[in-house]
Amino acid sequence: EALYKDEEAICLPLMRAFFEPAMVGKRVGDVMTDVDPLVLGMFVHNHGSKAGFKAFMTQEGIPSYLYALSWSLAFKGKRVLYRKQMETHVQAILQGHPAEKAYTSKATLPLAMNCGEFSRQGSNAYNKPHRPKPR
């Protein structure tokens, strides 16, 4: 979150002062078309929810009909890919045993979805000894 605070406090005002929105939008569009699908999935995932990502899209001037189409065709699948390939491993580490399958929803990723809260609150969740789950 500190990175975002710096970006919002320093980088965004500078960008807005020296560049027209159309110029920035074109460059962001170029970057988004070339980004790795896993990175794009992380970008979508870190907005917290579908509603959070929709708010971002609205802020960026993306019409709601285009948002709905792009969510179904591109963004939802990238978020699922990210959760399968990355968040599943975070969940496994925090729960103390290997994942039985790839997790893709918030309901199956409760620890991973909140792992930032552990570190911010000084929790000792990361210091718990690993005890394999009995089989």
Side-chain angles (χ1 to χ4, degrees):
E1 286 190 16
L3 172 65
Y4 295 132
K5 287 179 182 175
D6 285 348
E7 285 181 0
E8 290 176 3
I10 299 168
C11 299
L12 285 176
L14 285 172
M15 180 185 70
R16 289 177 178 147
F18 292 101
F19 300 98
E20 295 292 323
M23 181 186 294
V24 173
K26 180 180 179 345
R27 182 64 187 131
V28 169
D30 293 344
V31 169
M32 295 299 280
T33 59
D34 293 336
V35 73
D36 179 275
L38 194 60
V39 173
L40 185 55
M42 179 202 58
F43 177 74
V44 175
H45 170 81
N46 283 307
H47 279 87
S49 65
K50 182 178 177 182
F53 190 66
K54 184 177 183 186
F56 166 76
M57 297 281 278
T58 301
Q59 168 193 309
E60 296 303 311
I62 309 297
S64 59
Y65 73 89
L66 188 57
Y67 161 76
L69 183 63
S70 62
W71 177 260
S72 299
L73 295 177
F75 295 121
K76 182 177 182 182
K78 304 296 187 290
R79 183 182 72 176
V80 168
L81 175 73
Y82 174 76
R83 286 180 176 174
K84 280 182 180 178
Q85 292 187 11
M86 302 303 292
E87 290 293 300
T88 295
H89 299 298
V90 173
Q91 179 71 24
I93 290 167
L94 294 174
Q95 68 191 8
H97 59 83
E100 296 163 7
K101 62 178 184 160
Y103 303 126
T104 59
S105 72
K106 283 184 177 181
T108 57
L109 292 164
L111 299 173
M113 295 299 294
N114 295 307
C115 71
E117 295 303 315
F118 289 121
S119 61
R120 280 192 286 280
Q121 294 173 5
S123 171
N124 64 2
Y126 294 112
N127 299 324
K128 290 181 181 175
H130 171 68
R131 294 190 182 117
K133 185 178 180 181
R135 296 188 185 245

